[in-house]
Amino acid sequence: MSTYEVEHNTTDPSTNPSNPSNNNTTTQRPRRPDLSTFFATLSEISPDEASTNNHRHRPHAVPVPRDISAAFYTLAEALNVMRREGGGGGGIAAAAAGGIPSFGPEDTAATDGNGNELLTEMIQSLLRSAEVPPKEVEGVSEGFCDLLDRVPKSALNSSQVCPICNNPFLEDPYPLVVRLPCHSTHLFDLECVRPWLRLRGTCPLDRTDFAKQEREKEEARRKPVVDDEEEEEWDGMYG
């Protein structure tokens, strides 16, 4: 996953010593967990990266259930760290190795103290898929994420929050907010929604299946086009 500096084409203001707002009394926007392990795992099992990733350790290997489970567990653990505002995180290494991270009852409860039911539902969904993994990753391509509509900062207001991390968009001096094509009000921090889209391929809010739509478009594109005149000529020859 791209770093803050790459995504925002700037330096992270929280690490800039010249920023006067960086003091112990200022509440900083919570940073998201490091997802490098997740994206490294995804690059090994994602079909759309098979021909573009020259650094795959097993370029011709077919993904096995353990590898796919690891991707789901790793993302679930990262979202759980986000939900607990920096707590936990020890299960990421275990998930990457094919193990099961330690989730307690408080991690999979229907609600949490922050009131972020959506994040809890996403974690539960990922854990269910990790236990019974699909045969292959069915998320969207990286190209889909690159083409998502960007919402300019001037179009945001102080009451709008990311449904996943529950942080106001404008708390970030350089918000990178995207609009999903299913609904004009489905706005997310790209950093939050991109991993879910790449693995799941659906809108976290209404479960619109973008990955399925993407596959159908690709199949239609590859389908040979039959010329109408040629088709009529063949029909005439054979009655």
Side-chain angles (χ1 to χ4, degrees):
M1 184 176 182
S2 300
T3 63
Y4 184 100
E5 291 77 7
V6 172
E7 292 283 11
H8 296 75
N9 193 28
T10 185
T11 57
D12 182 353
S14 66
T15 61
N16 185 357
S18 64
N19 188 345
S21 65
N22 290 333
N23 54 62
N24 294 332
T25 61
T26 301
T27 301
Q28 297 291 337
R29 179 184 177 88
R31 293 301 302 274
R32 292 158 190 81
D34 179 18
L35 287 168
S36 58
T37 299
F38 165 74
F39 281 107
T41 303
L42 186 67
S43 69
E44 294 291 332
I45 61 176
S46 181
D48 76 296
E49 295 191 23
S51 60
T52 59
N53 187 354
N54 296 323
H55 303 289
R56 297 184 72 188
H57 297 295
R58 297 169 298 166
H60 303 294
V62 176
V64 297
R66 186 181 69 176
D67 295 335
I68 298 176
S69 289
F72 282 97
Y73 277 129
T74 304
L75 184 55
E77 175 72 2
L79 293 183
N80 191 47
V81 171
M82 182 189 298
R83 190 180 70 156
R84 293 163 59 181
E85 297 183 344
I92 291 181
I100 300 177
S102 56
F103 286 88
E106 71 280 4
D107 297 324
T108 55
T111 59
D112 57 40
N114 297 326
N116 197 337
E117 290 82 5
L118 175 63
L119 191 54
T120 302
E121 291 174 4
M122 293 170 68
I123 293 171
Q124 292 173 336
S125 175
L126 291 168
L127 291 176
R128 287 193 295 268
S129 294
E131 293 173 0
V132 185
K135 293 182 179 180
E136 61 181 20
V137 174
E138 298 178 346
V140 301
S141 66
E142 188 63 35
F144 178 91
C145 297
D146 291 340
L147 294 176
L148 287 173
D149 289 340
R150 265 55 170 179
V151 181
K153 185 176 181 179
S154 59
L156 300 171
N157 62 62
S158 59
S159 65
Q160 291 176 295
V161 301
C162 174
I164 296 177
C165 69
N166 215 28
N167 290 317
F169 293 127
L170 292 180
E171 278 190 2
D172 190 335
Y174 305 97
L176 188 55
V177 180
V178 295
R179 176 183 288 108
L180 298 190
C182 52
H183 200 281
S184 61
T185 62
H186 289 187
L187 309 182
F188 296 85
D189 283 318
L190 179 59
E191 295 171 88
C192 291
V193 77
R194 177 178 167 237
W196 174 270
L197 289 173
R198 295 285 284 116
L199 188 61
R200 273 294 195 199
T202 62
C203 172
L205 292 174
D206 64 14
R207 296 298 190 265
T208 298
D209 196 336
F210 302 123
K212 181 180 179 181
Q213 295 175 4
E214 194 175 33
R215 290 192 298 271
E216 290 175 348
K217 288 181 180 179
E218 180 63 19
E219 290 173 1
R221 187 185 67 82
R222 294 181 178 181
K223 188 176 181 179
V225 178
V226 179
D227 185 78
D228 291 340
E229 294 183 0
E230 182 179 343
E231 186 175 2
E232 290 177 1
E233 181 179 341
W234 278 95
D235 289 343
M237 291 177 61
Y238 293 96

